[in-house]
Amino acid sequence: MSRETHGRIPSVDEIMKTAPAVESCALYGRPSTLAAARVVVDEVRRGRGEGAMPSAEQFGERVSAHATAMAMPHLKHVFNMTGVVLHTNLGRAVLAEEAIAAAADAMRHPVSLEFDLDSGQRGERDDHVRDLICELTGAADATVVNNNAAALFLVLNTLAHRRETIVSRGELIEIGGSFRLPAIMERAETILHEVGTTNRTHAGDYASAINEQTGLLLKVHTSNYVIRGFTTAVGTSDMACIAQQAKLPSVYDMGSGILLGLERFGLAHEPTVSKILREGIDLVTFSGDKLLGGPQAGFIAGRKDLIAAINRNPMKRAMRIDKMRVAALEATLRLYRDPDRLAQRLPTYRLIRRSCDELRDVARQLLSLARQQLGAEFKVEISDCDGEIGSGAMPTEKIASVGLAIRSTRGSGRALIELAAALRRLPIPVIGRIESDALILDMRCLEDVTAFSMNFMQLARGGTDLDSRTLE
């Protein structure tokens, strides 16, 4: 841009006096609008603008648009069309209405978070959920922290600090974000003593590894992978017996918090927390936001003396949960007292239980709209597909589902990538998945068809930069 052009850029003060900028100040405040004005002027000065120099009023409109964009929340509501019910990247479990109401009430008012109403003295925030956890799991005592990784860290740091933790080599898991069990053990300052091999670990491997430096025996649920073929693993009851004979704590990192038998929801059998505790395991750690269907949290349930020691660890304070999550957890756990209605009231199991016939009806409602909005560049069909639970829970368990399969009529993979990007730019982003040369919009987690339709209608030409040029 020439020096002459530079000189024609309105001053920031002049731009701030325009009607759009004044309105922006009223909506978002003068500091935010002023910052937006400086960004817009800088963009033009660096040559990003083309054609005639905008007027001060046009600069003001750009400033208002930029300030509006900056005021929009970065954390957005999305339509989960991936077919993954508990999608970690999309926030895992959708909370029950009872949990949402409880959390909202806790946000609006002071609450008895750490106040004992009977004695008038200071109380413990765990008290609001401890009895419920014990009731639902059969545990003698329980405590709660901000997630399951923190729960396991706290257990290791308390019971095996600078001592050995014995664990099977086949259970040294890595979960999302390159989070590895050996790394958390190192940070917890416990010494990893792995036994067995990747595919076979025997009871004798645990027994022979026990020595004067042993702190505890750990078993980890391999929730995000399965080893098949020539395999052997030590069951929880056998490991508990070995630990009891050696007078050592036994710990089972369960991952997903399963409080009821999954068979009632049409899923394969997985042991519940109560079953693991009945088999003699001293402590079980599990998540609140996976199959339990609540907010992010980590539970430790089991022996009373071990829970007491864990609660004395100074690190517990760094991992505690706030009042909103305490309220949401309590409300979620109360739903489990009525297991016959749980699938209707808890979104996780309601979504898992939806039949293919129901999902096909939803797909039929959207088929014409999708074809109309996408035009001749794409072919849209109703298609059977497979979904999954997600968040590492039951990785081999597929859930039969139904979706819209969108294919480029030109056979262009780039066209699908561009379409997926356009869907993410909608007012409520739509997140699907690309597989087998198609963009799949899985219906399993779509419940508000009207809201989705109104949102999808904004995919019109020009509204999301989806035009023939981007699809070639």
Side-chain angles (χ1 to χ4, degrees):
M1 186 176 287
S2 66
R3 291 180 181 273
E4 182 180 358
T5 304
H6 271 210
R8 295 203 303 271
I9 297 177
S11 68
V12 170
D13 184 61
E14 185 180 354
I15 294 168
M16 291 293 290
K17 292 176 181 177
T18 64
V22 170
E23 183 179 357
S24 177
C25 287
L27 290 172
Y28 311 119
R30 181 174 175 81
S32 296
T33 304
L34 185 60
R38 287 169 176 159
V39 169
V40 170
V41 168
D42 186 57
E43 286 178 349
V44 175
R45 184 173 287 124
R46 286 187 285 119
R48 291 186 179 179
E50 296 180 358
M53 177 61 61
S55 65
E57 192 76 11
Q58 289 171 324
F59 265 96
E61 291 172 355
R62 291 191 186 185
V63 168
S64 177
H66 187 82
T68 299
M70 294 301 293
M72 296 298 290
H74 196 269
L75 184 67
K76 291 186 176 182
H77 163 201
V78 304
F79 284 110
N80 176 11
M81 312 290 285
T82 64
V84 180
V85 177
L86 299 172
H87 199 302
T88 297
N89 299 347
L90 302 182
R92 292 187 175 169
V94 175
L95 298 189
E97 290 301 322
E98 291 86 348
I100 294 168
D105 190 64
M107 285 188 278
R108 289 192 181 99
H109 309 290
V111 295
S112 57
L113 181 63
E114 290 188 353
F115 188 86
D116 188 319
L117 295 173
D118 291 330
S119 68
Q121 303 298 314
R122 179 169 183 159
E124 294 289 338
R125 64 184 66 197
D126 284 2
D127 290 346
H128 304 288
V129 295
R130 178 184 290 109
D131 289 346
L132 278 166
I133 300 168
C134 293
E135 174 189 332
L136 296 168
T137 65
D141 202 356
T143 190
V144 61
V145 290
N146 57 3
N147 62 28
N148 189 52
L152 181 58
F153 177 96
L154 198 58
V155 169
L156 296 173
N157 184 256
T158 303
L159 305 181
H161 185 240
R162 296 181 180 175
R163 303 183 71 189
E164 292 184 356
T165 294
I166 300 176
V167 61
S168 169
R169 182 169 297 163
E171 297 173 1
L172 295 176
I173 63 170
E174 175 181 319
I175 59 176
S178 299
F179 181 90
R180 294 180 172 181
L181 178 62
I184 193 172
M185 294 176 73
E186 180 180 357
R187 291 291 183 176
E189 295 190 327
T190 186
I191 302 165
L192 168 61
H193 187 154
E194 58 184 87
V195 297
T197 63
T198 302
N199 61 318
R200 288 174 70 83
T201 301
H202 304 275
D205 295 325
Y206 285 96
S208 62
I210 294 172
N211 60 69
E212 293 180 355
Q213 292 301 311
T214 303
L216 60 83
L217 273 60
L218 173 66
K219 186 169 180 61
V220 182
H221 191 289
T222 54
S223 58
N224 59 356
Y225 70 95
V226 173
I227 300 175
R228 298 187 184 279
F230 189 59
T231 63
T232 300
V234 178
T236 49
S237 58
D238 290 337
M239 196 186 82
C241 183
I242 295 168
Q244 288 167 7
Q245 291 174 355
K247 297 182 179 180
L248 291 168
S250 57
V251 179
Y252 185 51
D253 176 20
M254 184 182 192
S256 291
I258 302 174
L259 301 183
L260 288 175
L262 297 180
E263 297 87 347
R264 67 170 59 223
F265 307 113
L267 298 174
H269 172 76
E270 283 282 323
T272 61
V273 177
S274 58
K275 182 177 185 297
I276 292 166
L277 290 171
R278 286 197 304 270
E279 290 180 345
I281 293 293
D282 294 314
L283 292 177
V284 180
T285 66
F286 54 98
S287 296
D289 56 342
K290 294 184 180 180
L291 281 171
L292 194 145
Q296 179 180 297
F299 297 97
I300 309 170
R303 264 174 53 184
K304 200 173 188 68
D305 60 325
L306 300 181
I307 296 294
I310 288 166
N311 283 332
R312 289 194 296 270
N313 189 323
M315 289 298 296
K316 170 73 186 303
R317 184 177 179 85
M319 300 172 181
R320 65 185 184 177
I321 60 176
D322 60 22
K323 65 176 184 177
M324 286 81 76
R325 276 195 278 178
V326 169
L329 273 179
E330 181 183 6
T332 301
L333 291 169
R334 288 189 183 280
L335 296 180
Y336 279 85
R337 284 178 160 175
D338 185 4
D340 292 336
R341 290 196 298 162
L342 186 66
Q344 287 75 46
R345 302 168 73 186
L346 196 65
T348 294
Y349 292 112
R350 184 173 70 240
L351 296 175
I352 288 173
R353 284 192 61 180
R354 295 180 80 186
S355 69
C356 285
D357 287 342
E358 178 187 351
L359 301 179
R360 191 167 283 105
D361 286 341
V362 175
R364 288 194 188 104
Q365 294 178 55
L366 297 175
L367 182 61
S368 296
L369 172 65
R371 286 174 172 171
Q372 178 184 348
Q373 293 298 113
L374 296 176
E377 290 91 351
F378 296 97
K379 180 180 180 181
V380 186
E381 296 177 312
I382 296 174
S383 176
D384 293 334
C385 54
D386 286 329
E388 58 186 85
I389 295 170
S391 295
M394 307 177 72
T396 62
E397 183 84 359
K398 298 298 182 182
I399 308 175
S401 192
V402 179
L404 294 180
I406 305 170
R407 294 180 173 84
S408 168
T409 55
R410 306 178 187 181
S412 169
R414 184 178 172 218
L416 293 179
I417 294 172
E418 292 289 345
L419 175 59
L423 291 173
R424 295 194 301 271
R425 291 193 295 269
L426 286 171
I428 304 177
V430 175
I431 315 296
R433 69 179 190 271
I434 295 177
E435 65 178 29
S436 302
D437 299 320
L439 173 60
I440 306 295
L441 300 182
D442 193 304
M443 300 294 118
R444 179 156 300 280
C445 296
L446 177 62
E447 294 188 288
D448 192 340
V449 177
T450 300
F452 178 86
S453 299
M454 294 178 65
N455 182 64
F456 200 82
M457 287 173 67
Q458 299 189 53
L459 195 64
R461 297 294 182 269
T464 57
D465 299 327
L466 179 63
D467 57 36
S468 58
R469 292 188 300 273
T470 66
L471 301 176
E472 292 176 353

